[in-house]
Amino acid sequence: GTPASKSDVMVTLTIDGFAVTVPEGTSVMRAAAEAGVQVPKLCATDSLEAFGSCRLCVVEIEGRRGTPASCTTPVSDGMAVHTQSDKVRKIRKGVMELYISDHPLDCLTCAANGDCELQDMAGAVGLRDVRYEAPEGAGLANHFAARDTSGQANPEYLPKDDSNPYFTYDPAKCIVCNRCVRACEEVQGTFALTIDGRGFDSRVSAGAFSDDFLNSDCVSCGACVQACPTATLQEKSVIEMGTPDRSVVTTCAYCGVGCSFKAE
Ligand code: FES
């Protein structure tokens, strides 16, 4: 869930009653994984620095108030963590309902269908129906409402950015997890992406508000596309030919991201 800690000092804690010993500085989420417990997550990955924005990974820790995000909370010796209490399950479900309420419901025709972490996590938290509607007048909500059932967006609202020759950017599907922004910075060392706006109107931007990917500092390395948990950043080849069934991790000096391909 989060990058490994390099500390030599070990600490022991329990996750849902299972004892686990990990290096000091390890996140609770990673310690849970070591103990065989997968905490739901959307914004954390094994390689990017934890960001703590999606709030799906909340846990309860004995003796502490509130429900901290397990991806940004470091372990401490003797800690007793509960990842499946009624309280955290309810919070996760509520968080997921909010995401889905602002997301086009075109899964069946979406290029990421079957390879979408939002879809996977909705299932993981037991979401079967959605109780909220996005607020009137919100930018992404308008975009969402303006879609027909095939997922086609009304061009009046935040159109897809097709300017990059290799991938598309569809702001309506963005959950603002920041993984693309962090990948751009941490994997590629480029600072082409930022988050613009707030709340329902926030979205990833390739530089200035009106800028597109082609005219940004983006070098088309693909790190952002690989990091994206939804179909917001999607390879054009996947849209045309479907999800690749093989991928290779390379040490290519240019991008280091690795390549995916579809076998004939
Ligand atoms: Fe921890 Fe998103 S995975 S807040």
Side-chain angles (χ1 to χ4, degrees), residues 165-223:
Y166 308 110
F167 61 83
T168 60
Y169 168 58
D170 184 353
K173 292 188 174 172
C174 179
I175 57 168
V176 202
C177 64
N178 219 47
R179 278 164 58 166
C180 56
V181 177
R182 285 177 284 152
C184 187
E185 295 174 9
E186 295 173 28
V187 178
Q188 179 58 28
T190 305
F191 294 83
L193 303 177
T194 56
I195 301 288
D196 271 340
R198 297 177 77 91
F200 270 107
D201 288 318
S202 57
R203 82 292 311 264
V204 173
S205 165
F209 184 68
S210 59
D211 216 350
D212 59 25
F213 273 83
L214 197 61
N215 293 307
S216 72
D217 291 337
C218 173
V219 295
S220 300
C221 76

Side-chain angles (χ1 to χ4, degrees), residues 50 99 154 171 184:
Y99 278 124
N154 181 333
C184 187

Side-chain angles (χ1 to χ4, degrees), residues 218-230:
C218 173
V219 295
S220 300
C221 76
C224 58
V225 180
Q226 195 181 57
C228 180
T230 70

Side-chain angles (χ1 to χ4, degrees), residues 26-243:
T26 298
S27 70
V28 167
M29 174 181 279
R30 194 174 181 98
E34 298 272 327
V37 175
Q38 301 300 330
V39 182
K41 63 189 169 72
L42 276 170
C43 70
T45 77
D46 286 342
S47 54
L48 300 172
E49 289 301 322
F51 191 63
S53 67
C54 79
R55 312 310 294 175
L56 209 59
C57 71
V58 290
V59 293
E60 287 194 89
I61 299 174
E62 284 179 25
R64 292 202 196 177
R65 297 173 67 153
T67 50
S70 60
C71 65
T72 51
T73 303
V75 294
S76 61
D77 208 40
M79 196 181 239
V81 179
H82 299 282
T83 75
Q84 294 298 331
S85 66
D86 287 348
K87 186 174 179 181
V88 295
R89 286 158 79 113
K90 202 169 159 193
I91 292 172
R92 285 182 200 138
K93 199 166 171 185
V95 166
M96 187 55 78
E97 282 180 330
L98 285 168
Y99 278 124
I100 300 295
S101 74
D102 189 36
H103 197 85
L105 299 174
D106 61 348
C107 297
L108 292 180
T109 53
C110 177
N113 190 25
D115 185 28
C116 171
E117 292 179 40
L118 188 65
Q119 205 175 37
D120 293 345
M121 287 302 141
V125 304
L127 193 66
R128 295 213 171 73
D129 54 8
V130 175
R131 290 180 301 189
Y132 307 121
E133 286 184 13
E136 280 290 312
L140 284 181
N142 277 342
H143 188 56
F144 170 44
R147 282 175 177 246
D148 63 27
T149 49
S150 69
Q152 293 303 306
N154 181 333
E156 210 177 305
Y157 301 105
L158 298 173
K160 268 190 191 176
D161 178 355
D162 276 325
S163 64
N164 185 287
Y166 308 110
F167 61 83
T168 60
Y169 168 58
D170 184 353
K173 292 188 174 172
C174 179
I175 57 168
V176 202
C177 64
N178 219 47
R179 278 164 58 166
C180 56
V181 177
R182 285 177 284 152
C184 187
E185 295 174 9
E186 295 173 28
V187 178
Q188 179 58 28
T190 305
F191 294 83
L193 303 177
T194 56
I195 301 288
D196 271 340
R198 297 177 77 91
F200 270 107
D201 288 318
S202 57
R203 82 292 311 264
V204 173
S205 165
F209 184 68
S210 59
D211 216 350
D212 59 25
F213 273 83
L214 197 61
N215 293 307
S216 72
D217 291 337
C218 173
V219 295
S220 300
C221 76
C224 58
V225 180
Q226 195 181 57
C228 180
T230 70
T232 309
L233 288 157
Q234 185 67 263
E235 283 180 48
K236 288 183 174 174
S237 62
V238 171
I239 295 170
E240 286 159 17
M241 295 186 286
T243 310

